[in-house]
Amino acid sequence: MEFPKKITVIQTAIITASTIIGTGMLTIARRTVEFGDTAAPLLTILGVLVAYLSVYVICRLGNWFSGKSIFQYSEDIIGKWLARFFSLLIIGYLAVLTALYAREFGAVVRTTVLSETPLEVTTLAILIIVALSVRNNITTFAYIHHFYFPLILAPALFISAVSLKHANVLYLQPIIGNTPTNPMIGILLVAAMFQMSFILTIVIPAMRETHQALKAATWGIIMGGGLYLIMVIATVAVFGSEEIKTLLWPTIELTRITTLPGEILQRLDAAFLAVWVTAVYTTIFSSYFLCIYGIKQLFRFRDHKMFSFLLLPFIFFISSLPRNIVEVYELIKVVGMAGLIITLGYPCLLLVIAWVRKRKRKKGIGGSVDQYG
């Protein structure tokens, strides 16, 4: 058994939610409004349901192949070389996604807080912090998420709830949207924001109760999806769909006009940015960790620590390729949508093949069914 079985159901739920809640906090309202108009909350709900399909499939596979990650049991299902090819695609995709998230972090911090600091410095800073963090084992990885999650969820929910005092319910009507341009793209974009739930593929083997993985992941999706939904509703209800389309980061604009009761703080944008920075850290932490753990398992190394800084220059180079923040978001959109083939399509393919083989073995065609649960 490669993983120590120490991660609890609660920790698994927290890891799932903490990984999902990240860079999308700033852009989910604009993305959904862009393609769904006033149907943005509905698109968010449907996008969460699509993302949940991936979570269900990953948990099912994790139960069938107990103690193994997707980099390992895929070889049992489709053969060593084909599985390794797809594992390389997953690792490459995670590296690109990590780089884009880091670049977005650098751009936001430089624009809102450290205007005189070079973009490369802020981007490199978050990557170095994450590279140091991922040198820990899977148990410490869970503890780090467990520590930061309350600092993300509670303030984000509070700020979103307080902002509702400026809401106009008419801005949310009609629920199905006025003239949605392409709601399906909006749904898939929301689902793409949840695809880092793919971290479950290495968390499930380390759980004490693997059979509880789906329950834990479901609660993680509910917490992450619920927060995003509240943010979308609050932003649309305050600004209206047409104004949101003109804002790059509508959530930040929302916190700028929100005050605490009694005028304790006139603006909450500084507090929200602190929450967002923490959320982005946990998301990049998970994507980086999954990336180097995948390399370790693919090439049969005993330890993943050596890759923490070895991979950093390549990720930093990729992060420097986009020319501006608009190009970063376009790349995130394209890469995220394409990534659904890897994070949703590939697990579904593995599940179907494993299920067919399981049926054949039950009929006596081939060997034992033990490895399928």
Side-chain angles (χ1 to χ4, degrees):
M1 185 65 63
E2 180 179 356
F3 296 97
K5 286 186 171 291
K6 296 181 178 180
I7 297 180
T8 65
V9 173
I10 294 175
Q11 287 176 323
T12 303
I14 287 174
I15 291 170
T16 305
S18 178
T19 301
I20 289 169
I21 301 169
T23 57
M25 293 171 71
L26 296 187
T27 58
I28 187 169
R30 178 171 55 83
R31 290 295 191 188
T32 50
V33 165
E34 182 181 353
F35 295 100
D37 202 63
T38 56
L42 179 60
L43 262 60
T44 303
I45 295 172
L46 295 176
V48 172
L49 293 177
V50 172
Y52 183 73
L53 174 62
S54 174
V55 168
Y56 173 81
V57 172
I58 289 170
C59 291
R60 191 72 183 271
L61 286 168
N63 285 329
W64 281 1
F65 299 89
S66 180
K68 293 184 178 181
S69 74
I70 194 170
F71 303 103
Q72 298 167 323
Y73 60 66
S74 58
E75 296 186 9
D76 298 334
I77 299 174
I78 59 176
K80 183 170 70 172
W81 295 110
L82 185 58
R84 288 187 176 185
F85 169 74
F86 280 108
S87 293
L88 281 173
L89 285 181
I90 293 171
I91 292 167
Y93 171 69
L94 291 170
V96 172
L97 208 59
T98 301
L100 293 176
Y101 286 160
R103 173 60 185 275
E104 181 185 0
F105 170 87
V108 173
V109 171
R110 185 175 186 271
T111 302
T112 58
V113 183
L114 306 175
S115 58
E116 301 299 323
T117 305
L119 175 63
E120 294 77 11
V121 173
T122 52
T123 303
L124 186 59
I126 187 66
L127 288 176
I128 291 175
I129 292 171
V130 168
L132 288 169
S133 302
V134 298
R135 294 175 63 83
N136 296 293
N137 59 27
I138 190 78
T139 306
T140 306
F141 170 80
Y143 288 151
I144 291 173
H145 276 284
H146 204 156
F147 174 78
Y148 282 112
F149 183 64
L151 305 178
I152 298 171
L153 185 65
L157 284 173
F158 177 74
I159 292 171
S160 299
V162 171
S163 66
L164 287 172
K165 68 181 180 179
H166 301 291
N168 184 346
V169 180
L170 293 177
Y171 285 154
L172 295 170
Q173 300 175 4
I175 296 176
I176 60 173
N178 290 314
T179 54
T181 54
N182 199 329
M184 184 53 66
I185 293 180
I187 292 170
L188 293 178
L189 282 175
V190 173
M193 293 180 182
F194 284 72
Q195 62 186 322
M196 275 315 301
S197 56
F198 202 73
I199 191 68
L200 286 165
T201 58
I202 65 170
V203 172
I204 292 174
M207 290 184 66
R208 293 177 185 172
E209 302 171 283
T210 306
H211 64 280
Q212 296 274 28
L214 184 59
K215 176 183 177 181
T218 301
W219 278 109
I221 290 290
I222 289 173
M223 288 187 287
L227 176 61
Y228 275 149
L229 179 61
I230 291 171
M231 285 185 164
V232 170
I233 292 174
T235 308
V236 175
V238 171
F239 292 118
S241 57
E242 293 304 317
E243 186 173 352
I244 288 176
K245 294 174 185 178
T246 66
L247 302 174
L248 182 60
W249 299 313
T251 314
I252 292 181
E253 300 302 325
L254 178 67
T255 56
R256 283 176 178 166
I257 66 170
T258 302
T259 58
L260 290 178
E263 303 297 328
I264 299 174
L265 288 175
Q266 291 185 345
R267 284 169 40 173
L268 295 177
D269 51 324
F272 176 77
L273 280 172
V275 173
W276 181 82
V277 166
T278 307
V280 173
Y281 162 74
T282 56
T283 298
I284 298 177
F285 178 39
S286 290
S287 62
Y288 205 129
F289 190 86
L290 182 54
C291 188
I292 64 172
Y293 238 96
I295 295 174
K296 168 202 166 184
Q297 293 188 335
L298 178 63
F299 295 105
R300 306 297 195 273
F301 287 99
R302 296 186 64 181
D303 190 38
H304 68 282
K305 294 180 182 179
M306 62 181 293
F307 299 110
S308 60
F309 282 97
L310 188 63
L311 199 63
L312 193 148
F314 299 99
I315 293 179
F316 180 70
F317 172 74
I318 295 171
S319 71
S320 65
L321 294 179
R323 291 170 293 184
N324 50 55
I325 187 62
V326 175
E327 193 167 310
V328 170
Y329 281 130
E330 285 303 312
L331 283 173
I332 290 177
K333 175 182 172 183
V334 173
V335 171
M337 296 273 283
L340 287 173
I341 299 174
I342 296 174
T343 59
L344 176 58
Y346 181 51
C348 286
L349 176 65
L350 293 178
L351 183 68
V352 170
I353 295 175
W355 180 80
V356 170
R357 289 185 175 182
K358 180 181 178 182
R359 296 283 295 178
K360 286 183 178 180
R361 284 176 171 82
K362 282 185 176 180
K363 293 179 181 179
I365 306 174
S368 171
V369 300
D370 290 344
Q371 73 179 106
Y372 296 95

Short mmCIF file of all heavy atoms in Angstrom, two decimals, residues 37-73:
data_model
loop_
_atom_site.label_atom_id
_atom_site.label_comp_id
_atom_site.label_asym_id
_atom_site.label_seq_id
_atom_site.Cartn_x
_atom_site.Cartn_y
_atom_site.Cartn_z
N ASP A 37 -26.80 35.39 -19.57
CA ASP A 37 -27.53 36.58 -19.17
C ASP A 37 -28.09 36.38 -17.75
O ASP A 37 -27.37 35.95 -16.87
CB ASP A 37 -28.64 36.89 -20.19
CG ASP A 37 -29.07 38.35 -20.16
OD1 ASP A 37 -28.24 39.23 -20.44
OD2 ASP A 37 -30.23 38.59 -19.83
N THR A 38 -29.37 36.65 -17.53
CA THR A 38 -29.93 36.52 -16.18
C THR A 38 -30.09 35.05 -15.75
O THR A 38 -30.45 34.78 -14.60
CB THR A 38 -31.31 37.20 -16.09
OG1 THR A 38 -32.17 36.66 -17.10
CG2 THR A 38 -31.18 38.70 -16.30
N ALA A 39 -29.83 34.13 -16.66
CA ALA A 39 -29.87 32.70 -16.32
C ALA A 39 -28.55 32.24 -15.69
O ALA A 39 -28.34 31.04 -15.53
CB ALA A 39 -30.17 31.87 -17.56
N ALA A 40 -27.68 33.19 -15.33
CA ALA A 40 -26.37 32.84 -14.77
C ALA A 40 -26.46 31.89 -13.57
O ALA A 40 -25.72 30.90 -13.51
CB ALA A 40 -25.61 34.12 -14.40
N PRO A 41 -27.37 32.13 -12.59
CA PRO A 41 -27.47 31.18 -11.47
C PRO A 41 -27.87 29.78 -11.94
O PRO A 41 -27.36 28.77 -11.42
CB PRO A 41 -28.55 31.80 -10.59
CG PRO A 41 -28.50 33.26 -10.89
CD PRO A 41 -28.20 33.33 -12.35
N LEU A 42 -28.78 29.71 -12.91
CA LEU A 42 -29.21 28.41 -13.43
C LEU A 42 -28.05 27.70 -14.12
O LEU A 42 -27.85 26.49 -13.94
CB LEU A 42 -30.37 28.60 -14.41
CG LEU A 42 -30.93 27.33 -15.06
CD1 LEU A 42 -31.46 26.37 -13.99
CD2 LEU A 42 -32.04 27.68 -16.05
N LEU A 43 -27.26 28.44 -14.90
CA LEU A 43 -26.10 27.85 -15.57
C LEU A 43 -25.08 27.35 -14.55
O LEU A 43 -24.44 26.31 -14.76
CB LEU A 43 -25.44 28.88 -16.49
CG LEU A 43 -25.81 28.81 -17.98
CD1 LEU A 43 -27.32 29.01 -18.17
CD2 LEU A 43 -25.03 29.85 -18.77
N THR A 44 -24.96 28.07 -13.46
CA THR A 44 -24.04 27.65 -12.40
C THR A 44 -24.47 26.31 -11.81
O THR A 44 -23.64 25.41 -11.62
CB THR A 44 -23.97 28.71 -11.29
OG1 THR A 44 -23.58 29.97 -11.85
CG2 THR A 44 -22.97 28.31 -10.22
N ILE A 45 -25.76 26.18 -11.53
CA ILE A 45 -26.28 24.93 -10.97
C ILE A 45 -26.05 23.77 -11.94
O ILE A 45 -25.58 22.69 -11.55
CB ILE A 45 -27.77 25.06 -10.64
CG1 ILE A 45 -27.98 26.08 -9.51
CG2 ILE A 45 -28.36 23.71 -10.24
CD1 ILE A 45 -29.43 26.42 -9.25
N LEU A 46 -26.35 23.98 -13.22
CA LEU A 46 -26.18 22.93 -14.22
C LEU A 46 -24.71 22.58 -14.40
O LEU A 46 -24.36 21.41 -14.59
CB LEU A 46 -26.79 23.38 -15.55
CG LEU A 46 -28.32 23.58 -15.54
CD1 LEU A 46 -28.80 24.13 -16.88
CD2 LEU A 46 -29.03 22.26 -15.22
N GLY A 47 -23.85 23.59 -14.34
CA GLY A 47 -22.42 23.33 -14.45
C GLY A 47 -21.90 22.49 -13.30
O GLY A 47 -21.06 21.60 -13.48
N VAL A 48 -22.41 22.75 -12.10
CA VAL A 48 -22.04 21.96 -10.93
C VAL A 48 -22.48 20.51 -11.10
O VAL A 48 -21.74 19.57 -10.74
CB VAL A 48 -22.66 22.56 -9.65
CG1 VAL A 48 -22.45 21.63 -8.45
CG2 VAL A 48 -22.05 23.92 -9.35
N LEU A 49 -23.65 20.30 -11.66
CA LEU A 49 -24.15 18.93 -11.89
C LEU A 49 -23.28 18.18 -12.89
O LEU A 49 -23.01 16.99 -12.72
CB LEU A 49 -25.60 18.98 -12.38
CG LEU A 49 -26.63 19.47 -11.36
CD1 LEU A 49 -28.02 19.55 -11.99
CD2 LEU A 49 -26.65 18.57 -10.13
N VAL A 50 -22.82 18.88 -13.94
CA VAL A 50 -21.92 18.26 -14.90
C VAL A 50 -20.60 17.88 -14.21
O VAL A 50 -20.06 16.79 -14.42
CB VAL A 50 -21.65 19.20 -16.09
CG1 VAL A 50 -20.56 18.62 -17.01
CG2 VAL A 50 -22.92 19.43 -16.90
N ALA A 51 -20.10 18.79 -13.39
CA ALA A 51 -18.85 18.52 -12.67
C ALA A 51 -19.02 17.34 -11.71
O ALA A 51 -18.09 16.56 -11.49
CB ALA A 51 -18.41 19.77 -11.91
N TYR A 52 -20.22 17.23 -11.13
CA TYR A 52 -20.46 16.15 -10.18
C TYR A 52 -20.39 14.78 -10.86
O TYR A 52 -20.03 13.78 -10.23
CB TYR A 52 -21.83 16.33 -9.52
CG TYR A 52 -22.12 15.29 -8.46
CD1 TYR A 52 -21.47 15.33 -7.24
CD2 TYR A 52 -23.02 14.25 -8.71
CE1 TYR A 52 -21.72 14.37 -6.27
CE2 TYR A 52 -23.28 13.29 -7.74
CZ TYR A 52 -22.62 13.36 -6.53
OH TYR A 52 -22.86 12.39 -5.58
N LEU A 53 -20.72 14.73 -12.15
CA LEU A 53 -20.62 13.47 -12.89
C LEU A 53 -19.19 12.96 -12.86
O LEU A 53 -18.94 11.77 -12.66
CB LEU A 53 -21.09 13.67 -14.33
CG LEU A 53 -20.90 12.48 -15.27
CD1 LEU A 53 -21.71 11.28 -14.78
CD2 LEU A 53 -21.32 12.85 -16.70
N SER A 54 -18.23 13.87 -13.06
CA SER A 54 -16.82 13.48 -13.01
C SER A 54 -16.45 12.96 -11.62
O SER A 54 -15.74 11.96 -11.49
CB SER A 54 -15.94 14.68 -13.37
OG SER A 54 -14.57 14.38 -13.20
N VAL A 55 -16.93 13.65 -10.59
CA VAL A 55 -16.65 13.24 -9.21
C VAL A 55 -17.22 11.84 -8.93
O VAL A 55 -16.56 10.99 -8.33
CB VAL A 55 -17.24 14.27 -8.22
CG1 VAL A 55 -17.23 13.72 -6.80
CG2 VAL A 55 -16.47 15.57 -8.28
N TYR A 56 -18.44 11.60 -9.40
CA TYR A 56 -19.08 10.30 -9.21
C TYR A 56 -18.25 9.18 -9.85
O TYR A 56 -18.01 8.13 -9.24
CB TYR A 56 -20.49 10.31 -9.79
CG TYR A 56 -21.16 8.95 -9.78
CD1 TYR A 56 -21.76 8.47 -8.63
CD2 TYR A 56 -21.15 8.14 -10.91
CE1 TYR A 56 -22.35 7.21 -8.60
CE2 TYR A 56 -21.74 6.89 -10.90
CZ TYR A 56 -22.34 6.42 -9.75
OH TYR A 56 -22.92 5.18 -9.73
N VAL A 57 -17.81 9.43 -11.09
CA VAL A 57 -17.04 8.42 -11.82
C VAL A 57 -15.71 8.15 -11.11
O VAL A 57 -15.30 6.99 -10.96
CB VAL A 57 -16.80 8.88 -13.28
CG1 VAL A 57 -15.83 7.94 -13.98
CG2 VAL A 57 -18.12 8.94 -14.03
N ILE A 58 -15.03 9.20 -10.68
CA ILE A 58 -13.74 9.04 -10.01
C ILE A 58 -13.90 8.27 -8.71
O ILE A 58 -13.09 7.39 -8.38
CB ILE A 58 -13.10 10.43 -9.75
CG1 ILE A 58 -12.63 11.05 -11.08
CG2 ILE A 58 -11.93 10.31 -8.78
CD1 ILE A 58 -12.21 12.49 -10.96
N CYS A 59 -14.95 8.57 -7.96
CA CYS A 59 -15.20 7.85 -6.71
C CYS A 59 -15.54 6.39 -6.96
O CYS A 59 -15.12 5.50 -6.20
CB CYS A 59 -16.32 8.53 -5.92
SG CYS A 59 -15.88 10.14 -5.25
N ARG A 60 -16.28 6.14 -8.00
CA ARG A 60 -16.64 4.75 -8.35
C ARG A 60 -15.39 3.94 -8.69
O ARG A 60 -15.20 2.81 -8.23
CB ARG A 60 -17.63 4.76 -9.51
CG ARG A 60 -18.28 3.41 -9.78
CD ARG A 60 -19.27 3.07 -8.69
NE ARG A 60 -19.85 1.75 -8.91
CZ ARG A 60 -20.96 1.54 -9.64
NH1 ARG A 60 -21.60 2.56 -10.16
NH2 ARG A 60 -21.44 0.33 -9.80
N LEU A 61 -14.53 4.54 -9.50
CA LEU A 61 -13.28 3.87 -9.87
C LEU A 61 -12.39 3.68 -8.64
O LEU A 61 -11.74 2.65 -8.50
CB LEU A 61 -12.54 4.69 -10.93
CG LEU A 61 -13.12 4.65 -12.35
CD1 LEU A 61 -12.48 5.73 -13.22
CD2 LEU A 61 -12.92 3.27 -12.98
N GLY A 62 -12.37 4.70 -7.76
CA GLY A 62 -11.57 4.60 -6.55
C GLY A 62 -12.02 3.47 -5.65
O GLY A 62 -11.20 2.82 -4.98
N ASN A 63 -13.32 3.18 -5.63
CA ASN A 63 -13.84 2.06 -4.84
C ASN A 63 -13.52 0.72 -5.48
O ASN A 63 -13.23 -0.26 -4.80
CB ASN A 63 -15.36 2.20 -4.67
CG ASN A 63 -15.72 3.28 -3.67
OD1 ASN A 63 -14.99 3.52 -2.72
ND2 ASN A 63 -16.85 3.95 -3.87
N TRP A 64 -13.58 0.67 -6.80
CA TRP A 64 -13.30 -0.58 -7.52
C TRP A 64 -11.83 -0.96 -7.41
O TRP A 64 -11.49 -2.13 -7.32
CB TRP A 64 -13.70 -0.45 -8.99
CG TRP A 64 -15.17 -0.61 -9.21
CD1 TRP A 64 -16.13 -0.81 -8.28
CD2 TRP A 64 -15.85 -0.57 -10.47
NE1 TRP A 64 -17.38 -0.90 -8.87
CE2 TRP A 64 -17.23 -0.75 -10.23
CE3 TRP A 64 -15.44 -0.38 -11.78
CZ2 TRP A 64 -18.19 -0.76 -11.23
CZ3 TRP A 64 -16.39 -0.39 -12.79
CH2 TRP A 64 -17.75 -0.58 -12.52
N PHE A 65 -10.96 0.03 -7.46
CA PHE A 65 -9.52 -0.22 -7.43
C PHE A 65 -8.95 0.40 -6.15
O PHE A 65 -8.19 1.38 -6.21
CB PHE A 65 -8.85 0.35 -8.67
CG PHE A 65 -9.35 -0.25 -9.96
CD1 PHE A 65 -10.44 0.30 -10.63
CD2 PHE A 65 -8.75 -1.38 -10.49
CE1 PHE A 65 -10.90 -0.25 -11.81
CE2 PHE A 65 -9.22 -1.94 -11.67
CZ PHE A 65 -10.30 -1.38 -12.33
N SER A 66 -9.31 -0.16 -5.05
CA SER A 66 -8.93 0.39 -3.74
C SER A 66 -7.41 0.43 -3.58
O SER A 66 -6.71 -0.53 -3.90
CB SER A 66 -9.55 -0.47 -2.63
OG SER A 66 -9.20 0.04 -1.36
N GLY A 67 -6.93 1.57 -3.07
CA GLY A 67 -5.49 1.72 -2.83
C GLY A 67 -4.70 2.18 -4.03
O GLY A 67 -3.48 2.33 -3.94
N LYS A 68 -5.36 2.43 -5.17
CA LYS A 68 -4.65 2.85 -6.38
C LYS A 68 -5.20 4.18 -6.87
O LYS A 68 -6.39 4.46 -6.75
CB LYS A 68 -4.80 1.80 -7.48
CG LYS A 68 -4.10 0.48 -7.20
CD LYS A 68 -4.21 -0.46 -8.39
CE LYS A 68 -3.48 -1.77 -8.13
NZ LYS A 68 -3.57 -2.68 -9.30
N SER A 69 -4.32 4.98 -7.46
CA SER A 69 -4.73 6.24 -8.09
C SER A 69 -5.02 5.98 -9.56
O SER A 69 -4.76 4.89 -10.08
CB SER A 69 -3.64 7.29 -7.95
OG SER A 69 -2.57 7.01 -8.83
N ILE A 70 -5.51 7.00 -10.26
CA ILE A 70 -5.84 6.85 -11.68
C ILE A 70 -4.60 6.54 -12.51
O ILE A 70 -4.68 5.89 -13.55
CB ILE A 70 -6.56 8.11 -12.21
CG1 ILE A 70 -7.21 7.83 -13.57
CG2 ILE A 70 -5.61 9.31 -12.28
CD1 ILE A 70 -8.14 8.93 -14.04
N PHE A 71 -3.43 6.99 -12.05
CA PHE A 71 -2.19 6.72 -12.77
C PHE A 71 -1.81 5.25 -12.68
O PHE A 71 -1.02 4.75 -13.48
CB PHE A 71 -1.06 7.59 -12.21
CG PHE A 71 -1.33 9.06 -12.25
CD1 PHE A 71 -1.69 9.75 -11.11
CD2 PHE A 71 -1.27 9.76 -13.45
CE1 PHE A 71 -1.95 11.11 -11.14
CE2 PHE A 71 -1.54 11.12 -13.50
CZ PHE A 71 -1.89 11.79 -12.35
N GLN A 72 -2.37 4.56 -11.69
CA GLN A 72 -2.05 3.15 -11.48
C GLN A 72 -3.14 2.23 -12.03
O GLN A 72 -2.85 1.29 -12.78
CB GLN A 72 -1.84 2.88 -9.98
CG GLN A 72 -0.65 3.66 -9.40
CD GLN A 72 -0.62 3.65 -7.89
OE1 GLN A 72 -1.65 3.70 -7.23
NE2 GLN A 72 0.57 3.57 -7.31
N TYR A 73 -4.40 2.48 -11.65
CA TYR A 73 -5.43 1.54 -12.10
C TYR A 73 -5.76 1.68 -13.58
O TYR A 73 -6.34 0.77 -14.18
CB TYR A 73 -6.69 1.61 -11.24
CG TYR A 73 -7.43 2.93 -11.18
CD1 TYR A 73 -8.05 3.48 -12.29
CD2 TYR A 73 -7.58 3.61 -9.97
CE1 TYR A 73 -8.76 4.66 -12.22
CE2 TYR A 73 -8.28 4.80 -9.88
CZ TYR A 73 -8.86 5.32 -11.01
OH TYR A 73 -9.58 6.50 -10.94
#
